[in-house]
Amino acid sequence: MTESVDVVVVGAGAMGSTTAWQLAKAGRSVAVLEQFGRLHDRGSSHGQTRVFRVSYRDRLYTALATDSIPRWRELEADAGVDLLEQSGQLDHGFAPAIDEIEASLVGGGYAYERLSPEAAAERWPALNFDTTVLYSPDGGRVFADRMVDAALAVAERFGAQLHFDTRVLAIEPDGDGVAVVTDGATYRAGTVVVSAGAWVSRFVALPEVTVTRQQPVHFAIRPGMSFPSYIHHVPDDTPGAALRFGAYGLESPGEGVKLGLETSVHTDPDEVGVVDPAITAEAIAYADQWLPGADTSQVSAVTCLFTNTPDSHFIIDRVGPMVVCSPCSGHGFKFAPEIGAITADLAMGGPRRHPEWRL
Ligand SMILES: Cc1cc2nc3c(=O)[nH]c(=O)nc-3n(C[C@H](O)[C@H](O)[C@H](O)COP(=O)(O)OP(=O)(O)OC[C@H]3O[C@@H](n4cnc5c(N)ncnc54)[C@H](O)[C@@H]3O)c2cc1C
């Protein structure tokens, strides 16, 4: 069977779902092709929560977070669900990172507080600190599964077709456009958006992009304790550190407090993730030192994929009829509705964006 649409979107994760929402809302005919089921847990976008922050060392991402806030509200209004909570977020750790973040917050016109470790520990007894702490009230959390589900639902309401358990096998040139081949059908389109997450290198030669398996954990929260979203910054000798973090986390309703310690476990995205007790043990050791509000005797872990560029910048660019949307390196979700709009605009012939994002 062959079908024709304006745009094919490969992947129904955070980026594919929001791109489809924006394209369908703009009146384009869209087919979303996803190799697994709706809201599956094999990629990068599953789970209840993600940290939202405007506090970045690189002002490009503070600006992008700023643009994302009204876009989150637009999706909330279209879908009738709450997705972004600006409940406050902390940064502590590597001093140069804290200073650069403060400069970005000032440059972005954001309110914030700078606290001593003692004052911060008094205010947030669930965490330990040994450096200056920045508190950003505009940060907080977003609801991950709920967002992907909402974006897909509104995309469909605006006319998009959603095809799950439909793996794209090839993307071939077809006149000025493309033919996107799957087992059961071929989709002809003027443009294809490759928002395939950790599988992006199957469609575009990106030798520097790596895939790592992450293993965030949740701990029960001790009675009377609560956690803001938090980022613990590490020294700069870690590759891509300017946009990365050592440890991050937040409260997930009903699940406890989340902790992510970045791993460098390289993997093939097709390999099914298996929880590694050694990584959980590292997380427990970290929490015993830095998260007194976490009950480390009660812990659960899941696996998830990072798609990493060497400098942690995103790849959002267009070459002919193909738009590549690979914004991850462990920090893409907070921008998803805005990245959906940027990617849709590129697919509809709009301008290429930041040089940092080019192929
Ligand atoms: C543990 C963890 C914690 C994170 N924490 C944060 C955070 O706190 N804040 C934040 O902002 N970001 C965070 N991130 C990053 C964020 O979650 C990702 O950047 C984002 O989810 C990437 O979305 P995506 O749509 O690119 O990828 P995915 O959700 O993986 O979507 C890609 C989709 O393409 C599909 N696909 C691939 N190949 C094919 C094919 N051939 N045919 C059909 N479909 C295909 C896949 O099945 C998949 O569903 C975190 C990520 C992880 C893993």
Side-chain angles (χ1 to χ4, degrees), residues 90-350:
L90 299 178
D91 290 278
H92 67 115
F94 186 50
I98 299 303
D99 294 341
E100 286 170 24
I101 288 169
E102 184 171 18
S104 290
L105 291 171
V106 170
Y110 281 103
Y112 70 95
E113 292 174 54
R114 188 180 174 104
L115 301 98
S116 69
E118 296 76 21
E122 206 172 308
R123 192 145 151 205
W124 297 285
L127 295 104
N128 283 337
F129 308 99
D130 67 353
T131 67
T132 299
V133 175
L134 293 180
Y135 174 67
S136 163
D138 296 280
R141 64 183 175 190
V142 292
F143 292 94
D145 282 338
R146 197 191 294 171
M147 186 218 79
V148 176
D149 203 30
L152 291 171
V154 286
E156 201 169 26
R157 203 177 72 221
F158 285 119
Q161 307 170 26
L162 309 180
H163 299 278
F164 297 102
D165 304 307
T166 302
R167 185 168 208 171
V168 171
L169 304 173
I171 298 173
E172 296 164 352
D174 180 44
D176 292 340
V178 289
V180 181
V181 183
T182 73
D183 254 342
T186 294
Y187 297 82
R188 303 178 71 176
T191 305
V192 60
V193 172
V194 176
S195 41
W199 290 262
V200 64
S201 301
R202 303 275 159 93
F203 299 103
V204 197
L206 295 169
E208 297 193 324
V209 167
T210 61
V211 176
T212 52
R213 187 172 307 288
Q214 303 300 317
Q215 187 171 308
V217 302
H218 282 90
F219 298 111
I221 299 176
R222 295 190 192 284
M225 291 283 187
S226 66
F227 287 83
S229 300
Y230 63 90
I231 305 266
H232 193 178
H233 296 268
V234 294
D236 266 352
D237 54 8
T238 315
L243 290 169
R244 294 293 250 278
F245 30 74
Y248 60 91
L250 70 169
E251 256 188 55
S252 296
E255 292 182 296
V257 59
K258 185 176 184 177
L259 166 65
L261 287 179
E262 196 176 335
T263 82
S264 49
V265 178
H266 289 266
T267 187
D268 181 304
D270 282 328
E271 216 179 286
V272 177
V274 178
V275 166
D276 178 348
I279 297 176
T280 302
E282 263 181 56
I284 290 172
Y286 175 92
D288 283 339
Q289 184 180 357
W290 295 100
L291 305 178
D295 176 355
T296 56
S297 69
Q298 298 181 59
V299 57
S300 62
V302 294
T303 65
C304 186
L305 300 175
F306 279 6
T307 310
N308 308 291
T309 55
D311 58 10
S312 302
H313 277 296
F314 299 158
I315 299 174
I316 307 176
D317 202 5
R318 179 180 186 132
V319 182
M322 182 184 282
V323 172
V324 178
C325 174
S326 180
C328 185
S329 297
H331 69 113
F333 207 105
K334 64 182 72 63
F335 312 108
E338 180 60 11
I339 288 173
I342 290 168
T343 306
D345 184 53
L346 256 179
M348 295 187 284

Side-chain angles (χ1 to χ4, degrees), residues 14-15 34-35 40 44-45 50-51 168 248 304 306 333-334:
M15 307 308 159
E34 168 53 55
Q35 64 184 342
H40 67 88
S44 303
S45 298
R50 297 286 191 276
V51 172
V168 171
Y248 60 91
C304 186
F306 279 6
F333 207 105
K334 64 182 72 63

Side-chain angles (χ1 to χ4, degrees), residues 10-72:
V10 182
M15 307 308 159
S17 61
T18 53
T19 300
W21 160 56
Q22 286 286 317
L23 285 166
K25 193 172 181 179
R28 298 302 192 273
S29 58
V30 182
V32 179
L33 309 178
E34 168 53 55
Q35 64 184 342
F36 302 126
R38 191 184 185 120
L39 301 181
H40 67 88
D41 63 358
R42 295 282 303 276
S44 303
S45 298
H46 55 279
Q48 196 185 164
T49 55
R50 297 286 191 276
V51 172
F52 179 85
R53 57 184 167 119
V54 294
S55 60
Y56 263 85
R57 297 172 66 176
D58 186 327
R59 295 183 188 201
L60 186 157
Y61 293 93
T62 294
L64 184 63
T66 304
D67 295 344
S68 300
I69 296 169
R71 200 68 76 177
W72 277 101

